[in-house]
Amino acid sequence: MVYGLYTRGLRQGGVNRSRGVPFFPNTYESDIMDNYELGFKSNFADGAGRFNLTAYNMLWSDYQLNLVDPASQQCLDGNGNPDPSLNQPGVCGQPWQAIIANAGEAHINGVNAEIDYAINSNWLIGGNYEIMEAETDTQHDLNGDMIDDLIKGLRLPLVPSSKASFWIEYAQPIDLFGGEEFFIRTQWSYTGDSLSVLEPRSQVDEPNPQFRNPAYTVGDIRMGV
């Protein structure tokens, strides 16, 4: 079977618990995800095997970004020292606050392949692999200094570069504890590296820097009747 799919996801907007006069507005709008998908599903070897392939293009509009309002920074005098008398609404000296703002456009493209094969009536093996590209598509100034903090091509946070898994299962008919079949299965799943936050902030002098979450693998085994 070959199929095409279009879906739209909508996340509601909301209100920030702002104090003073922050740089960003007190409200934020909904963000929308449009997903275009093309897939192929098949079986082979008289039904003993299954192969599926999916490709998708997800377009993320007005995505919601959690950040610290730039007006929370202290106002500085001509010597670079904090001076509360210089507080400026929407610029500096406002109460510290984390808010949500609509940042721009982004995309997530990916391909997923999966295969299952029953070697015989007892053994089943399978695996899947998915590769993803998740990046920003627009650039924005997040603090009013006329410098774009977000640029096109930044990698979205918490999205792994790839994922994969492999499994093998054995089943055997039995007559035990009222059960008719015994099975044992092991599966190993790999998740690629990801970034902690969107903005490439320094690990040296930033309180919330960007760092790389390393790739990891999880293995499990289970059995039952």
Side-chain angles (χ1 to χ4, degrees):
M1 180 180 72
V2 175
Y3 71 93
L5 177 69
Y6 166 74
T7 57
R8 164 168 283 196
L10 175 70
R11 179 169 52 177
Q12 69 181 27
V15 178
N16 292 310
R17 294 185 175 183
S18 301
R19 303 175 302 282
V21 185
F23 175 79
F24 285 103
N26 290 329
T27 61
Y28 53 95
E29 304 299 324
S30 301
D31 55 353
I32 298 173
M33 181 78 80
D34 291 304
N35 175 55
Y36 302 87
E37 185 174 315
L38 186 65
F40 172 74
K41 295 180 180 291
S42 67
N43 57 52
F44 58 93
D46 296 324
R50 180 183 66 187
F51 175 72
N52 299 331
L53 182 67
T54 305
Y56 54 86
N57 170 227
M58 305 173 74
L59 303 178
W60 197 1
S61 303
D62 296 324
Y63 62 84
Q64 296 173 7
L65 182 65
N66 196 327
L67 43 76
V68 176
D69 192 275
S72 303
Q73 299 175 358
Q74 293 180 313
C75 299
L76 305 178
D77 60 20
N79 297 319
N81 300 314
D83 187 348
S85 67
L86 299 177
N87 289 357
Q88 301 180 55
V91 178
C92 61
Q94 305 304 300
W96 188 96
Q97 51 201 308
I99 56 92
I100 296 176
N102 297 103
E105 317 297 318
H107 71 270
I108 305 174
N109 296 333
V111 177
N112 179 285
E114 179 178 5
I115 188 169
D116 259 325
Y117 182 65
I119 301 174
N120 52 40
S121 60
N122 301 107
W123 290 95
L124 172 72
I125 62 173
N128 60 44
Y129 178 75
E130 182 169 4
I131 186 170
M132 288 167 278
E133 177 193 76
E135 296 179 345
T136 58
D137 291 327
T138 50
Q139 53 194 50
H140 295 280
D141 173 15
L142 294 181
N143 55 22
D145 61 1
M146 307 303 292
I147 299 175
D148 290 328
D149 306 278
L150 299 183
I151 60 176
K152 182 178 180 180
L154 287 181
R155 184 178 170 188
L156 298 182
L158 307 181
V159 180
S161 54
S162 61
K163 300 181 72 174
S165 60
F166 171 79
W167 55 87
I168 182 169
E169 182 174 326
Y170 174 80
Q172 175 68 46
I174 62 168
D175 182 11
L176 184 65
F177 305 124
E180 299 178 348
E181 184 182 68
F182 164 81
F183 77 91
I184 181 170
R185 176 188 175 102
T186 183
Q187 177 168 323
W188 293 82
S189 302
Y190 167 83
T191 300
D193 65 0
S194 63
L195 299 178
S196 60
V197 296
L198 178 61
E199 299 168 79
R201 295 191 287 255
S202 168
Q203 297 186 21
V204 177
D205 53 10
E206 291 283 350
N208 184 26
Q210 182 191 77
F211 59 88
R212 185 177 300 275
N213 302 309
Y216 62 91
T217 301
V218 175
D220 63 75
I221 184 171
R222 60 192 178 96
M223 64 182 70
V225 174

